[in-house]
Amino acid sequence: MATPRAEHHIAGQAVPDTASGATIEISNPATGAPVGVVPMSSVEMADRAVAAASDAVEGWGSTPVGDRVQCLFRYKQILEANINDIADIVVEEHGKTKAEAIGSLRRGIDCIEFATSAPVLMMGRTLPQIAVSTSFCRTEDEGGVGIDSQVDRVPLGVCVGITPFNFPVMVPMWMWPISVACGNTFVLKPSERDPFSTMAEIELTKDAGFPPGVINMVHGGPDVSNRLITHPDVSAVSFVGSTTVGEHIYKTATAAGKRVQCMCGAKNHSIIMPDANKDAAIDGVLGSAFGNTGQRCLAGSVVVCVGDAGDWLVPGLVERAKNIKVGPGGESGVSMGPLVNADARDRSLRYIDEGVEAGATLALDGRACQMPSEGCFVGPTIFDHATADMSIVREEIFGPVLSIVRVKTLDDAIETVNRSEYGNMSVIFTDSGHTARRFQRTVQAGMLGVNVGVPAPMAAFPFAGWKKSFYGDLHANGEDSVRFYTKSRVLVTRWL
Ligand code: NAD
């Protein structure tokens, strides 16, 4: 059977890329079996997608919002019916376990449900009789003419989304459903590393009744991204990915006059207090560090143990992590799949070498774990006695490598967390409300958690980090996303 070639989705049609440009071959990271070929499209293809989105802007923007969200209601039903098949594609091309793939799709569906509330979310506000004008009164007795003021929220036009490999179905759903519910049209450029599940997600929009051009997708790499973010007909750009690329996207797109939000990289710290519930802390840290094989912007990859907390936490973590079954994500009993590709695997292996060289104690060596000899696997790895200056503590590894830093006091722990140049999320495990409150008020991160491993994004709440984890103003999801994908318009009325 011929290897499938990823197709674009433009003006409601699957569009094959017949150009003879560069391509990327995608293979299953667990087995090496070929999955498909992705075209690194030309800027002309990006222009074609923007042209289709521009053609649809006026009609879609003036379609009543109640009619727009009917397409999302239908889409949700279609997606629910196909959730299993799409999860299989995620497992095949990305390597997640089936449970992780289904979980990520569920979180995406939450975003669709949130977007169906657009008739309420987009509502404006009115203040009647904000002032009285006397200049055009017919008689003195009239006392003046009332002035009313109102603010509406209106769509922006064509919006662009550029997404990373680690959640190929969910992250696009932070963007396009709420954007189109608000009356915009959309062009998505998915990651070139696992675009087939995103393609399946977008292909299903065809049957939901969206008019042609409302949702478009074009494959490619930096050339396509850079054309989309500077295209004169594009109004806004949402980006999720690494900090280096996010900084570039933010600077370039804002200089081109676009509204931009960039959700970027991370190095998340969890604080464990001596009074924490031991089982909950061990459970939370394991899930946070090794879930999704550490390829998560919310992965808690550094744990700061206060006082003697490390004395029970580290043996507990090692004991549990040793029993994590590593293998192909589709196999039953497997709870940790491979990394997305050989580069990602080699990156994790390089950091393990660096940790050893820097003098951290290798409490669990993921290179020696029982796992398939072929494929992009690295087992759960735990470094104890790491220090804040080591690369394994400072830099985003994006793999299953956890570093434990031991400190004396809560203040030392907070200082360690705040020294990071990132600020996506931080959590604390403690039994003390006073300690939790101090953490909440002093830690510099956009997403905080108390006694949870991951303060996961919820569709109804804004989601993003601080510092180098985010560039922009309005975050993804929640009310922020409605404000991001609309602009306000004020009307002042006086009837003479
Ligand atoms: P990446 O930055 O390599 O790629 C993201 C997107 O940018 C892809 O679509 C890619 O094609 C495009 N791109 C890459 N180089 C580009 C360039 N020079 N110019 C223009 N576009 C370019 O990220 P990734 O490796 O796919 O994803 C992992 C990263 O994403 C991690 O750093 C992770 O923390 C981050 N992430 C952040 C969040 C968040 O909400 N903060 C969520 C998920 C992932």
Side-chain angles (χ1 to χ4, degrees):
M1 204 174 76
T3 316
R5 198 179 156 97
E7 292 178 326
H8 312 293
H9 182 93
I10 297 177
Q13 300 294 324
V15 176
D17 195 312
T18 49
S20 57
T23 55
I24 290 185
E25 290 186 14
I26 311 285
S27 51
N28 182 325
T31 63
V35 172
V37 174
V38 190
M40 292 292 95
S41 319
S42 59
V43 295
E44 286 75 26
M45 196 54 87
D47 286 353
R48 216 174 128 181
V50 174
S54 301
D55 287 348
V57 144
E58 206 181 315
W60 183 245
S62 52
T63 300
V65 61
D67 293 349
R68 291 199 300 254
V69 300
Q70 293 310 315
C71 298
L72 288 167
F73 281 118
R74 282 192 290 272
Y75 180 77
K76 175 182 138 70
Q77 297 302 326
I78 297 167
L79 188 61
E80 294 268 12
N82 286 275
I83 193 166
N84 205 41
D85 293 349
I86 298 190
D88 283 341
I89 307 175
V90 174
V91 171
E92 188 189 14
E93 67 174 348
H94 174 288
K96 281 186 207 297
T97 65
K98 185 73 179 276
E100 287 171 340
I102 296 266
S104 69
L105 269 141
R106 286 258 147 246
R107 297 290 75 76
I109 289 172
D110 291 347
C111 298
I112 297 167
E113 288 168 354
F114 175 72
T116 60
S117 305
V120 176
L121 296 168
M122 282 191 77
M123 238 182 236
R125 286 191 289 177
T126 304
L127 188 56
Q129 198 74 353
I130 194 169
V132 173
S133 158
T134 49
S135 37
F136 287 95
C137 287
R138 271 163 247 139
T139 69
E140 296 235 332
D141 295 345
E142 282 174 357
V145 175
I147 295 181
D148 304 331
S149 192
Q150 74 183 64
V151 60
D152 303 331
R153 299 216 71 88
V154 294
L156 304 175
V158 178
C159 299
V160 157
I162 297 170
T163 51
F165 80 87
N166 65 325
F167 285 99
V169 179
M170 179 187 77
V171 170
M173 289 192 202
W174 294 351
M175 302 174 182
W176 71 260
I178 190 67
S179 176
V180 302
C182 289
N184 304 289
T185 60
F186 206 81
V187 180
L188 174 67
K189 193 211 79 66
S191 169
E192 63 276 38
R193 281 186 256 176
D194 51 5
F196 286 93
S197 33
T198 322
M199 204 171 97
E201 166 188 343
I202 297 301
E203 283 290 302
L204 292 180
T205 61
K206 266 201 316 217
D207 301 324
F210 292 101
V214 171
I215 301 160
N216 308 275
M217 183 189 61
V218 61
H219 296 286
D223 288 351
V224 170
S225 301
N226 290 327
R227 176 59 179 163
L228 292 174
I229 64 172
T230 51
H231 194 293
D233 295 342
V234 166
S235 300
V237 174
S238 298
F239 168 87
V240 176
S242 62
T243 291
T244 314
V245 178
E247 262 181 22
H248 155 74
I249 298 269
Y250 190 73
K251 286 179 186 157
T252 311
T254 51
K258 315 302 177 196
R259 182 180 287 196
V260 189
Q261 53 174 192
C262 293
M263 281 64 74
C264 296
K267 189 72 183 178
N268 306 303
H269 291 51
S270 313
I271 298 178
I272 311 296
M273 298 301 291
D275 66 357
N277 177 303
K278 294 185 174 119
D279 290 339
I282 291 168
D283 216 53
V285 169
L286 275 178
S288 183
F290 301 127
N292 210 40
T293 322
Q295 299 171 113
R296 225 176 7 188
C297 68
L298 291 177
S301 53
V302 178
V303 166
V304 187
C305 288
V306 176
D308 62 4
D311 296 347
W312 52 263
L313 184 86
V314 177
L317 286 175
V318 170
E319 200 45 45
R320 289 271 307 276
K322 271 199 299 206
N323 295 321
I324 291 177
K325 187 171 173 201
V326 179
E331 243 173 50
S332 86
V334 164
S335 47
M336 202 173 104
L339 288 141
V340 70
N341 58 23
D343 286 349
R345 177 200 56 205
D346 296 347
R347 181 182 167 87
S348 287
L349 294 175
R350 204 168 57 244
Y351 274 102
I352 297 175
D353 288 343
E354 285 185 23
V356 172
E357 274 163 32
T361 308
L362 193 52
L364 184 65
D365 186 350
R367 300 168 298 190
C369 155
Q370 205 180 9
M371 58 195 171
S373 54
E374 301 294 319
C376 305
F377 294 99
V378 177
T381 300
I382 301 175
F383 279 108
D384 196 1
H385 301 289
T387 52
D389 55 322
M390 293 180 182
S391 63
I392 52 170
V393 174
R394 283 185 291 113
E395 295 168 19
E396 182 174 44
I397 301 173
F398 228 52
V401 182
L402 170 65
S403 301
I404 315 281
V405 177
R406 295 185 184 226
V407 298
K408 289 198 176 76
T409 65
L410 175 63
D411 283 349
D412 296 339
I414 290 171
E415 195 197 320
T416 306
V417 177
N418 286 345
R419 205 182 297 165
S420 172
E421 58 182 1
Y422 298 103
N424 214 33
M425 79 86 164
S426 185
V427 303
I428 191 165
F429 281 85
T430 180
D431 235 13
S432 154
H434 173 76
T435 302
R437 193 164 181 278
R438 180 157 164 62
F439 163 85
Q440 180 197 334
R441 289 175 60 79
T442 50
V443 158
Q444 302 290 311
M447 304 290 292
L448 298 182
V450 176
N451 295 325
V452 296
V454 178
M458 302 286 175
F461 282 87
F463 168 63
W466 289 4
K467 300 201 273 187
K468 284 198 163 185
S469 294
F470 179 71
Y471 295 88
D473 176 8
L474 294 164
H475 292 185
N477 294 337
E479 210 181 319
D480 270 28
S481 65
V482 180
R483 292 175 69 84
F484 181 80
Y485 288 120
T486 55
K487 54 192 170 192
S488 63
R489 177 176 56 196
V490 169
L491 175 68
V492 178
T493 313
R494 179 180 69 175
W495 287 101
L496 300 173

